[in-house]
Amino acid sequence: MDLSSAKNSDTDKLALCRRYFYLGFAFLPFLWAINAVWFFKEAFIRKPEYPEQAEVKKLVVMSGIGALICLTALITWMTIFANHRADWGELGDRLSFNIPTGSP
């Protein structure tokens, strides 16, 4: 969907933004990132004001915050797992798809 197209009304854009935001709760945080990037111009840079803009701004900000929280949690888990997998013994092996050989 081209957001700058005249065929798309502001109501349609708000509905799409809202749909991406709520689908992000289904453990799909990349949709939050897409929503924040895709609708950023609609929410903050577009010159003429329109009635749905306030809600689009709110959804874009919350999508960006949700995406950052999920990204931070993922990086934290990856760091902890990579550094302590060998110390966890069998649990670390069961959580690993590929068990690396050699010393950590």
Side-chain angles (χ1 to χ4, degrees):
M1 172 187 272
D2 183 16
L3 293 178
S4 62
S5 174
K7 293 179 184 179
N8 300 321
S9 69
D10 294 331
T11 307
D12 293 338
K13 294 173 188 177
L14 174 61
L16 183 62
C17 184
R18 189 180 294 134
R19 187 176 308 132
Y20 274 29
F21 176 73
Y22 288 122
L23 284 173
F25 283 108
F27 299 111
L28 301 170
F30 64 91
L31 284 180
W32 283 334
I34 290 170
N35 198 25
V37 170
W38 200 7
F39 285 99
F40 185 81
K41 286 184 181 179
E42 287 292 319
F44 297 105
I45 298 177
R46 188 173 167 188
K47 301 289 188 225
E49 294 286 326
Y50 56 99
E52 294 86 358
Q53 190 173 21
E55 189 170 354
V56 170
K57 281 182 183 181
K58 181 179 78 167
L59 292 171
V60 166
V61 168
M62 291 188 332
S63 293
I65 291 170
L68 285 175
I69 289 171
C70 288
L71 180 65
T72 303
L74 179 65
I75 290 172
T76 302
W77 165 247
M78 289 170 49
T79 303
I80 290 170
F81 183 75
N83 288 329
H84 299 289
R85 186 205 61 81
D87 299 335
W88 294 345
E90 185 180 347
L91 176 64
D93 290 342
R94 288 182 181 265
L95 291 175
S96 297
F97 183 73
N98 292 332
I99 300 173
T101 58
S103 60

